[in-house]
Structure formats: structure tokens, C-alpha cells
Amino acid sequence: MKQKEMVEVIEERFKTLEKLSHKILKAFDADDIHDFRVEIKKLRAFLRLLDISDESEKPLIPKLLKSFYGYIGIIRNIQLQTHNIYAYITQHKIDKPVEYLTLLNKEKSYWEK
């Protein structure tokens, strides 16, 4: 693969990531978060495939992008936990754990900020 082709692939991934990040910041939609995280994983895999031997020339994912990835990962985990709780509640016909759901919502709003 030529360097020009590699640059095009990386630039395309970053364009997709930028579009998804704007969508996430507007609505924190679970599907957008999932797509963003999958896109980051694809980018990391591609960069590992390049396997540049010299450490100084090794492409890196920016720290802010890594931080954003981590924060939305936490939000995604909270979304999944909430979804699983509601699924369990409806399946077993039990009362809602109001305090726990309130705690999850507070935690989610904290990480969204």
C-alpha cells in the first residue's frame, strides 16, 4: 500500500469520526456512540497493520480523541446498564429500583458534561 493510499484511508476515518462526534455531542444516541467506538477500533487496527518500526514516526491517536473515546465508553456502559435493568424489570414484573436508576442518570449526566 502506498503512502498516499494510507493517508487517504486515515483521513476518511477521521472525517467519519468527526461527523459522529458532532452527532454524539448533540444527542448522546447509543447507536452513534457505538458507531464512533467501532470506527476508533478500525482506525487503531489499521494503524497497527502499518507497523512502523521507528517509534518517532509511529502514528498516534491524539490524546483528546482517546479521552473522548473513554468518556463516551462510560456513557455507553451506563446506557447498557439502564437498558438491561429495564429489560429485567419487564421480564420479571418487579418494581423499579428508583434510587439506582436515579444514581445512573446522575452519573450519565456527569459524564455528558
Side-chain angles (χ1 to χ4, degrees):
M1 183 175 264
K2 296 180 182 176
Q3 185 173 359
K4 183 179 178 183
E5 293 170 332
M6 290 185 280
V7 170
E8 288 175 1
V9 169
I10 293 171
E11 285 178 349
E12 187 63 34
R13 294 271 183 225
F14 273 104
K15 285 179 187 177
T16 306
L17 288 171
E18 185 176 356
K19 290 176 188 176
L20 288 170
S21 67
H22 290 297
K23 286 182 179 180
I24 290 170
L25 291 174
K26 287 181 183 176
F28 289 97
D29 182 53
D31 291 332
D32 291 336
I33 291 174
H34 174 74
D35 293 343
F36 181 87
R37 291 178 57 82
V38 168
E39 197 65 31
I40 287 285
K41 290 175 185 180
K42 288 179 182 179
L43 175 63
R44 289 177 57 210
F46 181 74
L47 292 175
R48 278 194 307 271
L49 282 175
L50 295 179
D51 193 35
I52 295 177
S53 58
D54 187 17
E55 287 293 320
S56 64
E57 294 181 22
K58 194 170 190 176
L60 299 173
I61 294 178
K63 284 188 177 185
L64 286 175
L65 189 59
K66 283 183 180 181
S67 298
F68 185 69
Y69 175 82
Y71 294 154
I72 63 169
I74 293 169
I75 293 169
R76 180 70 178 132
N77 286 338
I78 294 169
Q79 288 173 341
L80 289 171
Q81 179 68 20
T82 305
H83 175 74
N84 289 335
I85 287 172
Y86 280 116
Y88 184 82
I89 289 169
T90 55
Q91 195 175 41
H92 292 87
K93 299 177 183 169
I94 59 175
D95 294 335
K96 281 199 272 187
V98 178
E99 293 176 17
Y100 185 64
L101 291 173
T102 304
L103 177 70
L104 284 178
N105 285 332
K106 285 181 183 177
E107 191 74 18
K108 183 181 172 191
S109 64
Y110 170 79
W111 288 106
E112 286 176 352
K113 291 178 184 176

